[in-house]
Amino acid sequence: MSESTTYTGFWQESPRPGILGWLLSTDHKRIGIMYLTCIISLFIVGAILGLAIRLELIAPGETIMGAQTYNATFTVHGIIMIFMFLIPSIPAAFGNLLLPIQIGARDVSFPKLNLLSWYCYIVGAILAIIAIFSGGGAPDTGWTFYVPFSTQTTTNVNLAAFAAFMLGFSSILTGINFVTTIHRLRCEGMTWGRLPLFVWTLYATAWIQVLATPMIGITLVLVILERVFGAGLFDAARGGDPILFQHLFWIYSHPAVYIMILPGMGVISEIIPTFARKPLFGYWAMAFSSLGIAFAGSLVWAHHMYASGMSDFAVLIFSFLTFIVAIPSAIKVFNWISTLYKGSIEMAPPMLYALAFIFNFAIGGLGGLALGAAASDIHLHDTYFVVGHFHYVMFGGGGFALFAAMHYWLPKFTGRMYNHKVAVIGWALLFVGFNVTYMTMQAVGVAGMPRRYYDYLPEFTTLNQVATAGSWVMGLGLLIMFVNLWRGMCSGRRVGKNPWGATTLEWEVPSPPPLENFGEEDPVVTKGPYNFKGVVADEY
Amino acid sequence: MNPLTNPTAQAVDEVLIYIFGFSLILLLGITAVTIYFVIRYRRSKNPEPTSDVAHSFWLEAVWTLLPTIIVLTMFWYGWVNYVGLREVPEGALEVKATARMWSWQFEYPDGRRDNKLTVPVGTPVKVTLVSVDVLHSFFAPAFRIKRDMVPGMETYVWFTATEAGTYDIFCTEYCGLGHSDMITTIEALNEEEYAEWSKPAAPSGEPRGLIVINEQGCTGCHSLDGSEGIAPSLFQLAGQTRRIVVNGQTKEITVDEDYLKRAIRDPESEMVEGYDPMMPPYDSATVSDADLQAVIDYLLDKETEPAGPDAKQLLEENGCLGCHSNDGSIIVGPSFKGIGQRQVTVERDGKKVTLQVDAAYLRRALLDPNGEIVEGFAPMMPAADYLPEADIDTLVEHLLQQTGD
């Protein structure tokens, strides 16, 4: 170790002391840490609500809460997990922490805008929490806010929709910042062909954030107008159309799925080469498949609506486009696995999470085929199969990728290592519990149990009990993982620059990185991102 | 999944099995190769990578093209069988399903209504789907059919029951508090049972009010036995006091006929304290005035006169409304609006006569419509002389009450 034992990098170097040094900081790393803290806190709240949902469903009838509370619980669980956890998770937290360093920049293009986007996020999150405890009570519409129910319910939909609107603004600002940063601030020698794949996925994601998020903002404002002023746009009795809302909603919310998963794919594309000590297989295929997913993924929104009453011709078109989007996803999986071929594979905790990601994402993606085909979707739509499916993609994919990123990069940003054995135990519990819970949900959905059901027929009892038991294993795994990471970050063994023997630029600066990342001289890049020749991992 | 023999389930299951089958093979393949690589090339055995190949045009071309072909077959198979779900076979029995928070109503071609869907085995059934409030969705897992029910829009599903039995119908579009209670059944009956069921219902011993309550699905939210539900119970209402909220002010009232009428026709104006305004209004097209009276009499524990013929229903059933509007507009004949106190000029035996509408005139107009033709209209109305005397009386009485307000 070259640093002195008291070195703490950007944790101490700040123009302002104390808490203001954080709340007014424009340092991308500090903003990244603030995002990460909020995101993980809200994830824990969302996860507790999820466990409560599972507990309620352990038996038919009332178990721990009434129907209205249950409906509010799954609504708030969805709003937190999607708008406050998944969408900002990897881009806003790890994107902020890493993007500038990975392209050899000292910060993002618009550091003040970056801080503003964090404030939009916080205001949105606070408004959402106020919405739960004020007015007519917690919203009970589901995170999808479908009309006409959302325009009629007396619960606090207005404030919740406005909160999501604010969170959308945060996302747009981050997207603008990242696109500009990647175009303008690459260091000397950092050509497009030398960008780490994580940067490519952030780039694709940022375009979706900028182009699609305004749609949800407008749509939610229309819901508020409908509720407050009776605008009538979605009211069939006055010539409006409830199905129009679904189109507007999914034009954003389907691409949003790719906001949640693409950066996760980027994380996996960083981790697998490092722990196989081989360049990522098919660099350009990986880069362009990210752009392909972002583009094609923007054209498939109505596959959520085969049963909605829209025309059969629309079903034909959207089903076709949906299958097209499956192809770049398949390419990614094949390329990750080929990277392992004749590598030198170390099963460190980040690698375990990355491999679990591939497995979970494969199940989620393959399940998506049955939902994309018109005939089979008619049976599976709005059943628990869909609930299982999107948890496989969002949590098994996006969530596991975030956990992989935390195990991979937190040592970089705190300069300390967690306990590997405990990490493996946490991972194993999480992985097993996850699959028991959501595979069972898929099964109960195929058997015909609809989603968003407070109560269910006795024939579904056994499978629901298995899923609930799985959720406890998963909860225990999460607890062990978070405690282990927290202890590691506070008091773990110190690590040097490059504990994993990785090759991207962030591993060439001290751990934790200093303010402005690089010393006096800007870095100059002379080779591709995954050249492992001569790179040695620091002992720790 | 149980092997199902009905055509819609088979169409869906073929696609499901095809896609799930391919998916399972792919998943097992991917997982097996990954596990093999991880063990074979573990660092303790393979301390340095033994290959640095980072791309291969042919390999990548193959695993781009192969999945493309596979997914396109899935797309096509899914589409073709979906078309089968949309094309209703000829000769299908038509039933209309109405969804409301949180009950189902099925209306059969003969006008009878029920909260269960009773169908004959072996005959295709087309269910026309409408919703009166928010989105609902008709889902019958055993037939693999599902379609949203959208306010202001008519959608449909079709199925054929190939085996007698009881099959679940779920609402699968989230619709609020009672969403998961919005369950009913398809009763598939074999030939004799269905013939028995479809006989005109013998007059049951049940009071008319109770029949209406069941038909309209009121018990989906309101219990009849005093147990608490989503909405206040309807048990022994006579003389009870209720705290209600009117325009934000709470007041105490005694349940009586007028209150119940308002509570059914316009529920949101006076909500019982502590309950959400979720109940849809029931207008006179849904529950006729006579039926409303029967419901109220039943709830207040009064004897109800056997319901006579219902005027509005008669007007609709006999096609009167095809020519005569209720709202003052002229379709083919004069409107019913205000007819009760109208002066009309008619041509009788070639002479123009102006007269005041009264019971005798209306009776003549129904039984011998072309004897006196209202000025400006053509003599084309068929006589209603096939109606029983009681129905004519009901119609005349109803029309006299049409004062135009």
Side-chain angles (χ1 to χ4, degrees):
Chain A
M1 275 173 69
S2 56
E3 292 82 27
S4 80
T5 46
T6 54
Y7 169 79
T8 51
F10 74 99
W11 293 87
Q12 258 183 354
E13 300 163 12
S14 163
R16 286 185 195 80
I19 188 78
L20 281 183
W22 287 87
L23 293 178
L24 298 176
S25 172
T26 54
D27 176 17
H28 68 95
K29 297 177 292 299
R30 288 198 163 200
I31 293 175
I33 293 290
M34 292 198 291
Y35 264 118
L36 188 64
T37 312
C38 301
I39 284 163
I40 296 299
S41 312
L42 283 160
F43 171 77
I44 292 169
V45 175
I48 290 168
L49 293 176
L51 287 168
I53 293 172
R54 280 309 332 155
L55 188 55
E56 170 55 41
L57 292 177
I58 197 168
E62 181 168 336
T63 314
I64 55 164
M65 57 177 112
Q68 185 64 31
T69 312
Y70 178 83
N71 292 346
T73 304
F74 76 66
T75 300
V76 175
H77 171 77
I79 291 175
I80 288 181
M81 288 304 206
I82 288 173
F83 292 113
M84 295 174 225
F85 170 64
L86 282 163
I87 288 176
S89 65
I90 295 178
F94 282 96
N96 261 312
L97 284 170
L98 286 160
L99 170 67
I101 315 185
Q102 285 199 329
I103 63 170
R106 292 176 186 274
D107 209 317
V108 291
S109 281
F110 311 115
K112 286 179 183 160
L113 204 61
N114 204 16
L115 184 62
L116 177 65
S117 109
W118 183 77
Y119 275 100
C120 287
Y121 173 79
I122 284 298
V123 169
I126 291 171
L127 286 179
I129 290 162
I130 294 173
I132 299 172
F133 297 107
S134 66
D140 63 344
T141 58
W143 80 279
T144 48
F145 294 109
Y146 267 22
V147 298
F149 183 77
S150 64
T151 59
Q152 291 176 11
T153 177
T154 54
T155 55
N156 211 346
V157 170
N158 294 347
L159 197 56
F162 187 69
F165 179 86
M166 284 304 293
L167 293 165
F169 251 100
S170 161
S171 188
I172 294 170
L173 295 180
T174 301
I176 291 172
N177 226 333
F178 283 7
V179 169
T180 319
T181 306
I182 295 168
H183 273 277
R184 305 297 304 168
L185 295 186
R186 282 169 291 127
C187 68
E188 194 182 333
M190 181 56 82
T191 58
W192 289 90
R194 288 175 182 165
L195 287 178
L197 275 157
F198 182 55
V199 176
W200 271 109
T201 56
L202 286 176
Y203 182 68
T205 307
W207 276 114
I208 309 177
Q209 288 177 297
V210 172
L211 295 177
T213 316
M215 285 304 296
I216 191 80
I218 294 165
T219 310
L220 293 174
V221 168
L222 289 177
V223 169
I224 297 172
L225 286 179
E226 191 95 358
R227 287 176 62 86
V228 178
F229 300 109
L233 197 64
F234 305 129
D235 182 356
R238 285 182 290 159
D241 185 355
I243 295 179
L244 173 65
F245 171 86
Q246 298 175 29
H247 280 291
L248 293 174
F249 179 82
W250 288 114
I251 285 173
Y252 166 74
S253 297
H254 192 76
V257 171
Y258 299 104
I259 299 179
M260 303 177 220
I261 194 70
L262 268 172
M265 293 171 158
V267 170
I268 305 311
S269 299
E270 296 298 306
I271 290 174
I272 290 197
T274 299
F275 294 96
R277 291 191 68 74
K278 266 186 68 194
L280 190 74
F281 194 88
Y283 176 90
W284 284 109
M286 289 303 245
F288 281 109
S289 61
S290 299
L291 298 178
I293 289 174
F295 176 73
S298 301
L299 303 174
V300 300
W301 72 85
H303 67 205
H304 297 264
M305 298 167 56
Y306 293 166
S308 70
M310 75 173 180
S311 78
D312 291 335
F313 185 68
V315 174
L316 174 73
I317 299 297
F318 281 102
S319 177
F320 175 75
L321 291 170
T322 301
F323 279 102
I324 296 300
V325 104
I327 298 163
S329 306
I331 292 172
K332 280 188 182 290
V333 171
F334 296 140
N335 281 346
W336 286 323
I337 295 172
S338 317
T339 306
L340 301 175
Y341 177 67
K342 294 195 174 175
S344 170
I345 298 167
E346 185 194 355
M347 295 297 265
M351 186 64 160
L352 288 172
Y353 277 101
L355 295 176
F357 170 99
I358 297 178
F359 181 77
N360 295 339
F361 178 73
I363 294 177
L366 292 166
L369 298 175
L371 292 167
S376 42
D377 176 69
I378 291 301
H379 178 60
L380 298 175
H381 176 70
D382 270 347
T383 65
Y384 255 87
F385 184 83
V386 175
V387 181
H389 160 74
F390 70 68
H391 280 92
Y392 261 104
V393 180
M394 306 283 78
F395 185 17
F400 271 64
L402 178 74
F403 304 151
M406 290 168 75
H407 284 87
Y408 187 54
W409 278 304
L410 279 183
K412 169 91 252 167
F413 288 95
T414 60
R416 291 175 185 274
M417 183 56 76
Y418 48 83
N419 181 318
H420 279 213
K421 276 193 187 131
V422 179
V424 173
I425 294 169
W427 169 83
L429 289 171
L430 188 53
F431 182 65
V432 170
F434 174 90
N435 277 285
V436 169
T437 306
Y438 297 109
M439 188 51 82
T440 313
M441 282 196 196
Q442 296 199 127
V444 79
V446 172
M449 177 167 158
R451 65 188 288 204
R452 294 173 169 174
Y453 258 32
Y454 165 67
D455 194 4
Y456 52 83
L457 296 181
E459 67 233 45
F460 301 126
T461 309
T462 311
L463 286 172
N464 271 295
Q465 283 169 344
V466 173
T468 301
S471 76
W472 297 334
V473 178
M474 190 161 54
L476 185 63
L478 282 173
L479 184 70
I480 292 174
M481 180 191 79
F482 281 130
V483 170
N484 183 45
L485 280 174
W486 179 254
R487 290 169 51 121
M489 296 313 98
C490 292
S491 56
R493 224 176 318 169
R494 289 187 177 276
V495 294
K497 277 183 182 177
N498 194 356
W500 309 121
T503 52
T504 42
L505 274 180
E506 76 271 26
W507 305 105
E508 293 178 17
V509 299
S511 309
L515 192 66
E516 302 215 323
N517 308 334
F518 304 98
E520 296 289 300
E521 283 179 34
D522 287 329
V524 177
V525 176
T526 54
K527 53 187 192 313
Y530 308 112
N531 190 333
F532 289 87
K533 291 226 168 64
V535 177
V536 187
D538 293 341
E539 297 284 331
Y540 55 88
Chain B
M1 281 183 288
N2 301 319
L4 290 161
T5 55
N6 66 79
T8 46
Q10 280 176 338
V12 169
D13 285 354
E14 282 168 12
V15 179
L16 268 182
I17 290 165
Y18 179 72
I19 296 180
F20 280 166
F22 250 118
S23 301
L24 192 65
I25 293 167
L26 269 168
L27 179 68
L28 291 178
I30 290 168
T31 311
V33 171
T34 307
I35 292 174
Y36 173 75
F37 283 175
V38 163
I39 295 174
R40 172 80 177 72
Y41 304 118
R42 63 188 183 276
R43 192 160 292 175
S44 57
K45 192 150 170 273
N46 212 32
E48 281 302 318
T50 45
S51 155
D52 56 359
V53 176
H55 55 88
S56 152
F57 176 79
W58 286 111
L59 212 50
E60 292 181 65
V62 166
W63 67 48
T64 305
L65 278 178
L66 212 59
T68 306
I69 294 165
I70 294 173
V71 296
L72 287 181
T73 63
M74 291 174 176
F75 153 70
W76 189 246
Y77 202 4
W79 167 251
V80 168
N81 282 16
Y82 171 81
V83 170
L85 299 179
R86 305 299 302 149
E87 285 175 351
V88 184
E90 289 205 12
L93 185 74
E94 295 208 18
V95 182
K96 179 180 170 190
T98 305
R100 55 163 43 97
M101 293 159 140
W102 293 280
S103 61
W104 300 91
Q105 186 190 67
F106 298 95
E107 194 176 333
Y108 297 89
D110 63 359
R112 98 161 70 179
R113 296 166 177 181
D114 193 11
N115 54 15
K116 285 184 179 180
L117 177 53
T118 305
V119 300
V121 166
T123 308
V125 180
K126 178 185 179 185
V127 190
T128 306
L129 308 170
V130 296
S131 164
V132 298
D133 40 39
V134 299
L135 296 178
H136 300 280
S137 190
F138 178 102
F139 176 36
F143 300 96
R144 313 280 191 257
I145 51 170
K146 180 181 292 133
R147 199 76 179 169
D148 284 5
M149 311 172 82
V150 185
M153 189 170 168
E154 227 179 65
T155 53
Y156 68 89
V157 290
W158 78 269
F159 67 96
T160 305
T162 46
E163 282 170 53
T166 297
Y167 305 96
D168 296 318
I169 297 173
F170 298 125
C171 175
T172 46
E173 187 62 70
Y174 174 69
C175 57
L177 197 59
H179 174 50
S180 64
D181 291 331
M182 201 169 150
I183 299 177
T184 185
T185 51
I186 294 170
E187 303 290 336
L189 305 180
N190 54 37
E191 213 173 322
E192 305 93 74
E193 285 171 333
Y194 186 74
E196 182 66 25
W197 176 86
S198 49
K199 270 190 211 159
S204 69
E206 286 184 346
R208 177 68 193 159
L210 182 57
I211 294 172
V212 175
I213 286 170
N214 284 327
E215 276 182 0
Q216 296 295 341
C218 309
T219 48
C221 302
H222 303 273
S223 80
L224 292 174
D225 59 4
S227 59
E228 275 305 305
I230 292 162
S233 174
L234 302 179
F235 182 60
Q236 291 182 351
L237 286 181
Q240 275 194 28
T241 55
R242 285 275 160 96
R243 293 183 65 78
I244 60 170
V245 183
V246 187
N247 298 328
Q249 309 240 314
T250 308
K251 64 178 184 181
E252 195 163 287
I253 52 117
T254 304
V255 174
D256 60 9
E257 205 170 308
D258 284 344
Y259 167 72
L260 287 176
K261 267 188 191 158
R262 293 194 301 275
I264 294 171
R265 289 281 191 237
D266 182 19
E268 287 199 19
S269 66
E270 297 173 31
M271 294 302 304
V272 177
E273 199 177 38
Y275 291 92
D276 279 337
M278 286 286 184
M279 175 166 157
Y282 289 77
D283 59 18
S284 54
T286 314
V287 177
S288 69
D289 288 338
D291 279 348
L292 179 68
Q293 191 61 48
V295 169
I296 288 166
D297 288 349
Y298 174 77
L299 293 177
L300 296 177
D301 238 2
K302 285 189 199 159
E303 286 293 318
T304 305
E305 294 291 312
D310 178 57
K312 284 187 180 161
Q313 205 175 333
L314 284 172
L315 291 176
E316 199 170 321
E317 282 173 0
N318 292 292
C320 311
L321 301 176
C323 298
H324 303 277
S325 79
N326 276 322
D327 60 4
S329 60
I330 305 292
I331 307 170
V332 175
S335 175
F336 289 142
K337 188 178 181 188
I339 195 171
Q341 45 182 219
R342 197 182 290 163
Q343 276 205 340
V344 291
T345 305
V346 299
E347 199 175 307
R348 185 197 298 164
D349 304 330
K351 278 182 288 186
K352 281 191 180 166
V353 183
T354 300
L355 51 81
Q356 178 69 37
V357 170
D358 57 11
Y361 165 74
L362 287 173
R363 191 174 295 274
R364 295 198 300 277
L366 280 164
L367 296 173
D368 179 20
N370 297 329
E372 292 163 296
I373 296 295
V374 180
E375 197 177 16
F377 292 93
M380 58 188 296
M381 174 169 152
D385 51 8
Y386 58 90
L387 287 175
E389 190 60 24
D391 287 359
I392 298 288
D393 289 342
T394 307
L395 285 174
V396 168
E397 195 183 330
H398 171 76
L399 291 176
L400 279 175
Q401 287 164 7
Q402 305 307 305
T403 56
D405 298 326

